[in-house]
Amino acid sequence: MSSMIEPFHAIAISGLAHQLKSEGRSVIHMEFGQPSTGAPRAAIEAAHKILDNDPMGYWESPALKTRIAQHYKETYGVEVAPGQLILTCGASPALVLALSSCFSPGDQIALARPGYVAYRNTLRALHMVPVELECGPEERFQLSAARLAALDPVPAGVILASPANPTGTIIPAGELEAIAQVCRERGIKIISDEIYHGLSYVEPARSILEFEPNALVVNSFSKYFSMAGWRLGWLLNPPEHVERARAFMGALFLTPPSLAQHAGLAAMDSRDELEGHLEVYRANRTLLLDALPALGLDAIAPPDGAFYIYADVGHLTHDSLEFCQTLLRDTGVATAPGIDFDPVEGGHFIRMSFAVSTREIEEALARLKPWFATRERLAT
């Protein structure tokens, strides 16, 4: 099963982008889902102080866990104990920790298609079986309670993502509540990836914990907090699962970097700066949604949150990887091919990240407009 792990093609696109940049080309990086901004100023200042005064070591910050628990109370009205939190080296280890401590090899885990490539690959690496449910425009590219209720056989678990990668779609509160109810009735364990929380443009994303306190929640400082390179995240567990998850954490990962934990604590109270980033993304989103239809890209997943545009280019290509490579070579604009997120239908989708500066979005559109104008439509 692990031999079926597929490459993350956006990494190859990024490699080509950096090669072109080394050759003197101007490149706009819209291929990766990471903010172009750095960590908040307070986080960097805290890190400098620790570097000067603390030798550091294996450590899990009680203060940071307490502050994250406070965040759940303030943001979602949910009471969690600091002890339910396990700090991790980003969301990816948190996902591995959740899956490995909850499920066994051979277990079937449901997830939406399109979805983040690492879900499928991590499940296969752990010898579990991804059950990918096609979710198209009619479903707003998201799982529904009805789809989960109809599954036969019943999966052991489900991975939810709201806002989602690559689409940015948010599951409405009523649907999230219905999903929680179906999962309780059918004994389906929920893992909710809430890494894009805080990045919403239509309505705030709701935490699964508001509807199902026994769900496991994955989150990270990489997106809203603009700290992707610091490798800091967390897994929030139901109380009865903490001891088992902590045993896996100690065996697999020990602790996240001490320096990142000190910085993360300072970042939690840098909201004014971080909300400024969100307003930049909001402006970038508006620019793209206004301009892309004139380029022929009018079939776009609703980007309710996160910082992505997932656009259908099926009228121009069925090979999104080659399309993105050609687009990059011709224009210097790097995007991600849809096959990373959907191995079946992704050949005619691309994903653009708008977590860059507004100036870069404007320049990207100036380059894309003439390029798309020369592309020939495929015969129907």
Side-chain angles (χ1 to χ4, degrees):
M1 183 72 71
S2 58
S3 64
M4 297 171 63
I5 291 176
E6 299 152 354
F8 195 176
H9 297 288
I11 294 176
I13 293 290
S14 186
L16 175 59
H18 284 286
Q19 176 190 326
L20 294 174
K21 192 171 183 178
S22 71
E23 296 170 358
R25 293 281 304 279
S26 170
V27 172
I28 300 173
H29 289 281
M30 300 173 68
E31 76 274 28
F32 277 158
Q34 63 178 17
S36 58
T37 50
R41 288 186 297 274
I44 294 172
E45 290 170 4
H48 278 298
K49 291 177 182 177
I50 294 299
L51 281 172
D52 291 338
N53 299 291
D54 189 337
M56 294 180 284
Y58 300 130
W59 178 65
E60 193 179 19
S61 169
L64 180 56
K65 291 195 289 183
T66 298
R67 182 64 185 84
I68 294 172
Q70 178 187 339
H71 163 72
Y72 278 91
K73 176 63 174 176
E74 294 171 345
T75 306
Y76 309 109
V78 173
E79 295 275 4
V80 300
Q84 292 175 245
L85 289 149
I86 297 177
L87 302 178
T88 61
C89 303
S92 297
L95 178 65
V96 171
L97 183 61
L99 291 170
S100 60
S101 62
C102 284
F103 304 110
S104 301
D107 279 351
Q108 295 189 352
I109 312 298
L111 61 159
R113 175 172 62 77
Y116 181 42
V117 61
Y119 300 153
R120 182 187 334 121
N121 282 340
T122 301
L123 286 167
R124 288 174 174 167
L126 294 172
H127 301 279
M128 298 170 191
V129 182
V131 179
E132 294 188 283
L133 304 178
E134 181 181 1
C135 299
E138 298 79 9
E139 299 87 8
R140 299 184 77 257
F141 300 92
Q142 277 285 9
L143 289 175
S144 67
R147 294 293 299 277
L148 291 171
L151 282 179
D152 184 18
V154 180
V158 61
I159 298 174
L160 303 177
S162 174
N165 178 9
T167 60
T169 53
I170 289 176
I171 301 175
E175 189 63 36
L176 203 58
E177 184 175 18
I179 288 172
Q181 178 66 28
V182 166
C183 288
R184 274 194 300 274
E185 292 171 353
R186 308 198 80 196
I188 302 171
K189 196 166 294 183
I190 299 173
I191 296 176
S192 180
D193 182 352
E194 300 182 358
I195 192 172
Y196 293 102
H197 276 219
L199 301 174
S200 301
Y201 313 102
V202 179
E203 61 180 298
R206 304 288 291 272
S207 175
I208 189 62
L209 295 177
E210 298 177 61
F211 311 104
E212 178 47 75
N214 290 317
L216 284 82
V217 174
V218 170
N219 210 325
S220 167
F221 283 81
S222 293
K223 310 300 182 181
Y224 176 78
F225 293 98
S226 195
M227 295 178 65
W230 294 76
R231 310 314 304 134
L232 181 63
W234 67 85
L235 177 66
L236 181 50
N237 304 271
E240 66 275 9
H241 188 72
V242 172
E243 184 176 350
R244 177 172 172 81
R246 191 164 295 286
F248 275 73
M249 178 67 187
L252 295 175
F253 303 112
L254 290 178
T255 65
S258 295
L259 186 65
Q261 295 180 63
H262 287 290
L265 180 59
M268 293 288 296
D269 293 312
S270 299
R271 296 289 172 163
D272 288 346
E273 184 176 347
L274 296 169
E275 287 297 306
H277 297 168
L278 178 61
E279 291 311 306
V280 172
Y281 305 153
R282 190 187 306 277
N284 293 349
R285 171 182 178 273
T286 298
L287 282 172
L288 288 168
L289 291 179
D290 287 347
L292 290 179
L295 277 60
L297 304 184
D298 52 7
I300 293 171
D304 304 326
F307 33 57
Y308 302 119
I309 295 290
Y310 193 62
D312 191 338
V313 291
H315 58 296
L316 301 174
T317 186
H318 297 313
D319 185 347
S320 59
L321 178 58
E322 187 276 335
F323 186 87
C324 288
Q325 290 169 336
T326 302
L327 173 63
L328 173 57
R329 288 192 177 97
D330 290 350
T331 70
V333 177
T335 57
I339 56 169
D340 272 338
F341 314 103
D342 185 342
V344 180
E345 302 292 339
H348 54 88
F349 283 88
I350 64 171
R351 189 196 72 179
M352 303 178 182
S353 168
F354 52 84
V356 294
S357 70
T358 300
R359 181 191 59 79
E360 287 175 300
I361 293 292
E362 291 170 341
E363 174 60 25
L365 288 170
R367 299 181 190 184
L368 293 176
K369 184 176 181 179
W371 190 83
F372 274 93
T374 64
R375 302 295 293 183
E376 294 186 5
R377 297 180 66 95
L378 297 177
T380 58

